Amino acid sequence: MYTYSWYHWITFFYLYCFFGWIFESAYVSLRQKRFVNRGFLRLPLLPLYGTGAVMMLWVSLPVKNNLVLVYLSGFFAATVLEYVTGWAMEQLFKMRYWDYSDQRFQINGYVCLSSSIAWGFLTILMTEILHKPVERLVLGMRPAVEFSFLAVVSVPFVLDAIQSVRAALDLGRALEAMTKAKAELEDLQVQIALLRAEASDRAANFRGDVRDWAGELRTDAKVWASDLRETALERASAIREEAVTFREEIREQIAPADGPELTALLKRLDALKEKHLHLSRHMGFYRKGLLRGNPSANSRRFSEALKELKHRLENE
């Protein structure tokens, strides 16, 4: 591979991952006014910087004697890398770990002109200044030392990457589940409100019917009082039977207000509230690390759920 062996490229990758972590963590920590372990991993490594540095070196080596071509190669290669990485991470993890949507001359929030311009100059800075001492360090290592270094770093790096990917996937699923649960909660609350309103209307209507029926009874009673006693007694018995029947009709009509339909909805509402609370509280070491290490991360589809998780994390 050009002037380097394959294991030199891996060593460069780890070193620039570390240098990138120092730069990003220092920058974000100063802005947040607290220490931020920046990045996707919990180790002090930022794979995007390592990958970007290796790519810059790779594409610029054939034209390293022409600064204009070095600049252009870094400009386009890093822009493509940033776009593809940002798009893939959002598709997999339901989150944007960086977002340029508020910048001018940006493409879907994944890349912007100012960032690409900076990548071009960074490529010149790295190839002309920064990489030369790093190159001397790496090429000056004995193979045994370099292979030992790679072994010591690679094992925790791979394990950390696996755990971080799992946590990011789990976080994405949690955001999706929280958003779905919240929508179901709102729908249930509307159903319950409508059911109670309907029951209240029924009760009001039947109270009016009862008043009308009682008035009719009083009017009939005046007429029946003048009738023969025997006829009045027979009519009173019929009225009692009619009252019992009417009372049962009222119970049947108003019963849904406190009946099984409302009870089932209330139980489902409590279950959804508990599920939503569990999803927002259940955050392990890696999930917390992802949220704390990426304070500017956002989600277009699940922004409210992400804000809730960040708020709960801040209040711990």
Side-chain angles (χ1 to χ4, degrees):
M1 285 191 249
Y2 297 112
T3 59
Y4 303 123
S5 300
W6 62 269
Y7 52 88
H8 292 326
W9 285 106
I10 299 176
T11 304
F12 290 144
F13 169 77
Y14 286 138
L15 290 175
Y16 286 116
C17 282
F18 179 64
F19 297 152
W21 175 85
I22 293 175
F23 170 75
E24 279 279 334
S25 294
Y27 175 73
V28 176
S29 296
L30 289 173
R31 293 192 63 182
Q32 296 290 319
K33 298 181 180 179
R34 62 179 177 83
F35 174 71
V36 177
N37 181 15
R38 186 77 172 95
F40 188 74
L41 306 180
R42 296 306 88 217
L43 289 173
L45 298 170
L46 276 176
L48 181 62
Y49 276 80
T51 306
V54 169
M55 177 178 286
M56 288 175 185
L57 291 172
W58 177 273
V59 299
S60 65
L61 277 175
V63 293
K64 62 182 180 180
N65 295 322
N66 188 321
L67 288 183
V68 175
L69 293 180
V70 169
Y71 176 88
L72 292 175
S73 64
F75 179 101
F76 289 108
T79 299
V80 171
L81 174 65
E82 193 171 27
Y83 188 95
V84 171
T85 303
W87 176 85
M89 291 182 73
E90 184 175 16
Q91 299 306 308
L92 284 173
F93 308 131
K94 312 294 190 299
M95 284 175 56
R96 289 189 172 201
Y97 285 86
W98 65 87
D99 191 0
Y100 300 121
S101 297
D102 60 343
Q103 300 288 323
R104 296 182 64 186
F105 309 111
Q106 51 84 26
I107 303 177
N108 298 325
Y110 301 124
V111 295
C112 67
L113 181 60
S114 60
S115 176
S116 297
I117 291 173
W119 283 121
F121 284 115
L122 184 59
T123 302
I124 294 177
L125 176 66
M126 187 181 66
T127 55
E128 295 300 312
I129 300 174
L130 300 178
H131 184 63
K132 291 181 179 179
V134 175
E135 180 184 49
R136 286 195 297 269
L137 172 67
V138 172
L139 297 182
M141 286 184 183
R142 290 182 298 174
V145 174
E146 188 170 0
F147 281 117
S148 298
F149 167 78
L150 292 177
V152 169
V153 176
S154 294
V155 172
F157 174 82
V158 171
L159 294 177
D160 191 21
I162 292 172
Q163 286 297 109
S164 295
V165 168
R166 286 178 177 175
L169 290 171
D170 180 62
L171 179 59
R173 287 191 291 266
L175 292 174
E176 190 171 9
M178 286 174 65
T179 302
K180 183 179 179 181
K182 186 175 182 180
E184 291 180 1
L185 278 171
E186 293 173 351
D187 182 61
L188 278 178
Q189 288 170 342
V190 171
Q191 291 184 45
I192 290 171
L194 290 175
L195 187 61
R196 284 175 170 165
E198 181 182 355
S200 178
D201 290 342
R202 288 178 180 176
N205 291 335
F206 271 97
R207 281 195 294 269
D209 291 343
V210 168
R211 285 194 296 268
D212 294 341
W213 187 64
E216 292 175 1
L217 285 180
R218 284 193 295 269
T219 302
D220 290 345
K222 293 178 181 178
V223 177
W224 298 332
S226 63
D227 292 344
L228 295 173
R229 182 178 179 80
E230 293 79 6
T231 304
L233 290 173
E234 291 176 1
R235 185 58 181 163
S237 176
I239 289 173
R240 284 195 296 272
E241 293 179 0
E242 186 176 349
V244 170
T245 302
F246 191 71
R247 186 170 61 249
E248 292 301 322
E249 290 179 358
I250 292 175
R251 287 178 179 175
E252 290 177 1
Q253 291 296 324
I254 300 180
D258 299 306
E261 183 179 357
L262 180 60
T263 301
L265 286 176
L266 290 173
K267 286 183 178 179
R268 187 179 170 196
L269 183 66
D270 290 338
L272 279 171
K273 286 181 178 178
E274 184 64 29
K275 177 182 178 182
H276 187 81
L277 186 62
H278 173 75
L279 287 169
S280 64
R281 282 181 173 176
H282 183 64
M283 291 192 287
F285 171 75
Y286 272 87
R287 188 188 291 188
K288 290 179 180 179
L290 285 170
L291 293 174
R292 286 174 176 154
N294 300 277
S296 61
N298 63 66
S299 176
R300 290 183 297 177
R301 294 175 56 195
F302 312 115
S303 59
E304 292 300 320
L306 182 58
K307 287 179 183 177
E308 183 177 344
L309 288 182
K310 287 183 176 181
H311 178 72
R312 186 172 292 277
L313 188 62
E314 290 174 359
N315 293 331
E316 284 189 352

